[in-house]
């Protein structure tokens, strides 16, 4: 992580301010085990230990104090069992960002005046020069470009669906074949943007350096190269691309942290680009609240859908049950009428012995005579009282 430091007046205050940038990032306050300062007092390097989501990490904090403003901080860390392998590439990466390759020309005077802007949702703030405009600003992401075509991207993500997956064709999921290679994913994303009327970037990767990230995050690499901008102008870019793992239903995403600009102005604008890049800051508290709100809103939406489906199902079941009950009643009536008609054709009727309740089919004449002789003990069962399943 690299950022700018403001309102610092000494090497010591720069180092303290740099460490304060980590407040709330790790599980608890990092423990600084040692620190050294350069002979000219400008650079301070300190090692620290901390835990991140319960896992031990080890890292280095580097601060560069510049009295004329432009002080910067670089934070390098990795899991404790991996820092020995990753420390050298981390140092190389941070050195390029804290002391850009343009050499002596990069100083505070080379950075254009910046003003603070804050995202409407309160999750992100950054500093940009006059004439720049934001194109993505909120939900933890930031992207802005300048009048010359320069651009700074921080945590900008694009969601895709593998064309062979069930997500293909779903709104919000562009159909782009999945690849775990960051360079190929960048090229595929550029082609997709060009096909939708955007600029055809025509990326050329000059250098790809893998960046170590936890496997559950995906694969990442620093990509440095050239691209073709609007009007066929050549441009340069430098940054990190992260490809998420392929999801259960075929979804994946590409996230970038990158600076870019026209080739003819890139070196001149680099100090400003790095200052903008480093000024990006996420309000972790507000972002956490937002994520919680989004999860809660998604849960409420899911519950509402489930409730609506349940109500529809309940209504459908009620209608179905009523329909079936009516059908059964109609069928019972038909069955009784049919049985009565059969007795009529056979000149029989259903006779009931009143004391015992027993019934039986007898000839019509016999039934009539028996009822006349003993009406207290015998009666003819009407068709309306015929019962289903009883053999008359």
């Amino acid at each position: 992580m690299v950022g700018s430091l403001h309102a610092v007046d000494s090497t010591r205050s720069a180092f303290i301010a740099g460490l304060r940038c980590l407040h709330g990032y790790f599980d608890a306050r990092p423990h600084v085990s040692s620190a050294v300062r350069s002979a000219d007092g400008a650079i301070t390097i300190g090692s620290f230990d901390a835990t991140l989501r319960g896992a031990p990490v080890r890292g280095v904090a580097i601060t560069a104090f510049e009295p004329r403003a432009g002080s910067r901080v670089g934070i390098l860390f990795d899991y404790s069992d991996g820092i020995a392998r990753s420390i050298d590439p981390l140092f190389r990466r941070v050195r390029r960002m804290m002391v850009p390759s343009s050499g002596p020309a990069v100083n505070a005077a080379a950075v254009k005046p910046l003003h603070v802007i804050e995202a409407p949702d309160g999750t992100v703030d950054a500093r940009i020069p006059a004439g720049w405009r934001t194109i993505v600003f909120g939900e933890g992401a930031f992207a802005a470009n300048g009048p010359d075509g320069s651009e700074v991207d921080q945590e900008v993500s694009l969601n895709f669906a593998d064309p062979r997956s069930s997500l293909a064709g779903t709104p919000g999921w562009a159909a782009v074949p999945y690849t775990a290679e960051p360079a190929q994913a960048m090229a595929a994303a550029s082609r997709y943007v060009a096909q939708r009327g955007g600029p055809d970037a025509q990326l050329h990767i000059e250098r790809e350096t893998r960046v170590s990230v936890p496997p559950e995050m995906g694969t990442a690499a620093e990509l440095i190269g050239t691209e073709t901008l609007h009007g066929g102008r050549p441009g340069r870019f430098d940054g990190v691309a992260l490809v998420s793992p392929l999801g259960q239903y075929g979804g994946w995403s590409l996230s970038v942290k990158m600076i870019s600009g026209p080739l003819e102005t890139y070196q001149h604008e680099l100090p400003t680009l790095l200052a903008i890049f480093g000024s990006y800051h996420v309000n972790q508290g507000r972002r956490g609240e937002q994520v919680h709100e989004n999860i809660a809103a998604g849960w409420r939406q899911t519950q509402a859908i489930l409730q609506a489906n349940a109500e529809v199902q309940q209504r459908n079941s009620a209608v179905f049950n009523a329909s079936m009950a009516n059908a059964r009643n109609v069928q019972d009536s038909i069955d009784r009428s049919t049985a009565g008609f059969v007795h009529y054709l056979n000149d029989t009727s259903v006779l009931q012995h009143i004391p015992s309740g027993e019934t039986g089919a007898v000839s019509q004449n016999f039934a009539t005579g028996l009822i006349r002789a003993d009406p207290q003990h015998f009666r003819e069962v009407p068709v309306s009282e015929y019962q289903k399943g009883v053999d008359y």
Side-chain angles (χ1 to χ4, degrees):
M1 297 184 290
V2 176
S4 300
L5 297 175
H6 309 287
V8 294
D9 55 9
S10 68
T11 302
R12 182 176 182 276
S13 66
F15 188 68
I16 293 174
L19 292 177
R20 283 176 179 164
C21 293
L22 296 177
H23 178 70
Y25 188 85
F26 296 107
D27 298 345
R29 179 180 298 179
H31 171 69
V32 178
S33 54
S34 63
V36 295
R37 187 178 303 169
S38 63
D40 61 2
I43 306 295
T44 304
I45 301 178
S47 60
F48 65 86
D49 294 281
T51 58
L52 181 62
R53 294 186 291 274
V57 298
R58 180 162 294 177
V60 175
I62 308 171
T63 56
F65 173 61
E66 169 54 60
R68 296 169 299 174
S71 298
R72 298 181 66 75
V73 58
I75 306 294
L76 304 68
F77 68 91
D78 198 350
Y79 294 109
S80 297
D81 59 357
I83 189 67
R85 297 185 298 273
S86 60
I87 190 66
D88 285 342
L90 286 174
F91 261 123
R92 289 195 296 271
R93 171 66 177 160
V94 167
R95 184 169 61 249
R96 282 199 305 272
M97 297 185 71
M98 293 185 67
V99 185
S101 58
S102 51
V106 178
N107 53 44
V111 178
K112 294 179 179 178
L114 307 177
H115 63 274
V116 178
I117 56 173
E118 183 175 352
D121 63 4
T123 61
V124 184
D125 60 82
R127 299 168 70 233
I128 61 174
W132 278 59
R133 65 183 184 89
T134 57
I135 48 180
V136 177
F137 203 31
E139 296 190 349
F142 164 68
N145 58 19
D148 68 337
S150 296
E151 187 168 323
V152 174
D153 301 305
Q154 282 277 24
E155 303 296 348
V156 176
S157 297
L158 294 173
N159 293 326
F160 300 112
D162 190 276
R164 298 160 294 184
S165 71
S166 59
L167 272 179
T170 303
W173 295 86
V176 174
Y178 170 74
T179 172
E181 297 298 323
Q184 295 178 16
M186 277 282 293
S190 297
R191 287 194 297 270
Y192 173 80
V193 171
Q195 292 168 1
R196 295 302 182 274
D200 186 358
Q202 298 180 11
L203 301 183
H204 173 64
I205 307 296
E206 297 176 353
R207 188 168 71 212
E208 179 178 7
T209 306
R210 280 302 177 96
V211 176
S212 177
V213 296
E216 61 270 18
M217 291 182 61
T219 53
E222 179 190 1
L223 304 177
I224 299 175
T226 60
E227 58 183 338
T228 302
L229 305 174
H230 284 291
R233 292 185 304 161
R236 289 198 65 82
F237 62 88
D238 183 355
V240 175
L242 170 70
V243 180
S244 71
L246 187 65
Q248 178 181 359
Y249 301 105
W252 63 284
S253 65
L254 172 68
S255 301
V256 297
K257 298 169 67 70
M258 196 161 288
I259 58 175
S260 61
L263 190 61
E264 69 270 19
T265 60
Y266 186 78
Q267 288 299 322
H268 180 266
E269 295 295 324
L270 186 57
T272 299
L273 295 178
L274 291 173
I276 299 171
F277 188 93
S279 71
Y280 162 81
H281 171 259
V282 176
N283 183 330
Q284 297 292 351
R286 176 66 192 109
R287 180 59 177 150
E289 292 174 358
Q290 186 182 67
V291 170
H292 178 74
E293 292 166 0
N294 290 343
I295 292 175
W299 175 253
R300 288 194 297 270
Q301 184 178 23
T302 301
Q303 291 301 303
I305 292 173
L306 292 175
Q307 179 65 27
N309 289 341
E311 291 174 356
V312 170
Q313 183 66 30
Q314 188 175 15
R315 287 196 298 270
N316 290 343
S317 296
V319 171
F320 177 78
N321 292 337
S323 176
M324 291 301 295
N326 183 62
R328 286 192 296 270
N329 292 336
V330 171
Q331 187 62 49
D332 289 345
S333 178
I334 292 174
D335 291 343
R336 287 193 296 270
S337 298
T338 301
F341 186 64
V342 170
H343 285 302
Y344 171 77
L345 292 177
N346 294 332
D347 197 22
T348 59
S349 66
V350 178
L351 192 66
Q352 182 183 51
H353 181 240
I354 297 174
S356 66
E358 293 182 1
T359 59
V362 297
S363 69
Q364 182 65 50
N365 291 336
F366 179 76
T368 302
L370 192 58
I371 293 171
R372 286 176 179 173
D374 192 0
Q376 299 298 319
H377 291 87
F378 293 95
R379 76 180 184 98
E380 184 178 4
V381 178
V383 172
S384 62
E385 294 183 14
Y386 285 5
Q387 297 181 13
K388 191 177 183 63
V390 177
D391 186 9
Y392 295 122

